[in-house]
Amino acid sequence: MKKVALIADGWKRLITYAWIAGMKQYIETCDEQIEIYHYNCFGNWNDNKTFNQGEYNIYSLPDLKCFDGIVLDLTNVKDGEVLKETVSRVIESKVPAISLGHFEEQLYYVGMDNTLAIKELMNHLHFEHGCQTFHFMGGPKESSENQKRVESFLERIRTWGFDMEKNPVHYGTFEMNTGEEYFEQLIQQGRQLPEAFVCANDNIAAGLISKAQKYGYNVPGNFCVT
């Protein structure tokens, strides 16, 4: 029997069951027996660092050398030290490992071309919709996916010669509250709204649009949101 560990952080209070379902579907096509051991926590939704550390401690429970394979879903880990330590333990185990969404040189990577995706979004907004001012609504600074998306956004701003201060980057989480809180902040501070909000994912975009509508704004009537 083969054993595969799935190490993941939740999306707020939700578990990404699709990862497990997909793995089980593939296992059913295999001739040998494979068991999934799921180590999931919710270390990213509480403001209490001690509580979150207690959640993340589940990552230190398994002896990773006992597994035949490891799948990592660390996209939502906001604590840089936890992220670094978890990845190091996986690499040190020398067990074949796949990282979903978070790029690490020494691990197999399954993810998207974040640089190209944001570049195409920015080109579309600028050339098709005539947008001249942008705000980037990003996820955690520690996320490699988010870092690539930010870099691609800034590359477009520099290429077009736009003012960096008028086209800022905001960091948060990959959750709806990042979009909600940032838009609320813009309104309370009386800041000028951009022609386009470039969001790192759909959750952030949904939160921003929801808050904007409560203030009477129309999307895409008043501004674009990706």
Side-chain angles (χ1 to χ4, degrees):
M1 183 184 74
K2 299 292 186 180
K3 300 196 301 182
V4 176
L6 171 59
I7 300 176
D9 199 358
W11 290 79
K12 286 292 183 181
R13 301 185 186 185
L14 301 177
I15 295 174
T16 309
Y17 294 105
W19 298 167
I20 306 169
M23 293 170 70
K24 291 179 67 176
Q25 287 177 11
Y26 178 78
I27 288 172
E28 291 173 358
T29 68
C30 301
D31 294 329
E32 59 184 323
Q33 185 178 2
I34 303 174
E35 296 289 345
I36 302 173
Y37 293 75
H38 190 191
Y39 298 91
N40 190 92
C41 76
F42 301 99
N44 64 1
W45 68 271
N46 198 299
D47 292 331
N48 188 311
K49 186 176 179 63
T50 302
F51 176 92
N52 292 340
Q53 185 58 55
E55 287 286 314
Y56 284 130
N57 281 342
I58 194 173
Y59 294 165
S60 64
L61 293 181
D63 180 357
L64 298 180
K65 296 179 181 178
C66 295
F67 292 94
D68 300 286
I70 301 171
V71 178
L72 289 173
D73 175 22
L74 304 178
T75 300
N76 289 326
V77 176
K78 295 188 296 183
D79 191 316
E81 287 301 314
V82 171
L83 182 64
K84 182 179 179 180
E85 181 180 338
T86 303
V87 170
S88 295
R89 290 185 64 242
V90 171
I91 294 174
E92 290 170 3
S93 73
K94 300 188 183 303
V95 174
I98 296 173
S99 179
L100 306 177
H102 179 76
F103 179 78
E104 289 288 342
E105 191 71 42
Q106 295 174 265
L107 302 177
Y108 293 106
Y109 171 67
V110 176
M112 62 178 286
D113 188 337
N114 295 281
T115 300
L116 179 62
I118 296 300
K119 180 178 180 179
E120 291 183 345
L121 274 178
M122 291 291 287
N123 285 343
H124 178 80
L125 291 168
H126 182 52
F127 295 115
E128 298 297 326
H129 296 277
C131 296
Q132 301 284 321
T133 55
F134 309 83
H135 283 208
F136 186 86
M137 305 295 301
K141 282 187 177 181
E142 295 77 15
S143 167
S144 63
E145 280 196 311
N146 190 65
Q147 290 169 7
K148 288 295 182 182
R149 296 172 194 180
V150 170
E151 291 170 5
S152 185
F153 171 82
L154 294 176
E155 185 275 333
R156 291 287 83 191
I157 298 301
R158 286 191 291 265
T159 297
W160 295 329
F162 293 162
D163 189 331
M164 302 292 281
E165 291 187 3
K166 294 181 179 179
N167 297 273
V169 172
H170 174 75
Y171 294 97
T173 70
F174 284 128
E175 303 294 344
M176 286 183 64
N177 66 295
T178 290
E180 294 171 335
E181 292 170 1
Y182 185 69
F183 194 84
E184 178 74 29
Q185 178 181 324
L186 290 178
I187 296 299
Q188 295 302 321
Q189 294 177 352
R191 293 168 60 185
Q192 184 174 355
L193 300 179
E195 294 173 286
F197 288 93
V198 180
C199 299
N201 73 351
D202 50 353
N203 287 341
I204 297 173
L208 190 145
I209 292 172
S210 175
K211 181 64 70 171
Q213 289 176 336
K214 291 179 180 178
Y215 276 101
Y217 289 94
N218 176 271
V219 178
N222 294 113
F223 44 77
C224 297
V225 178
T226 69

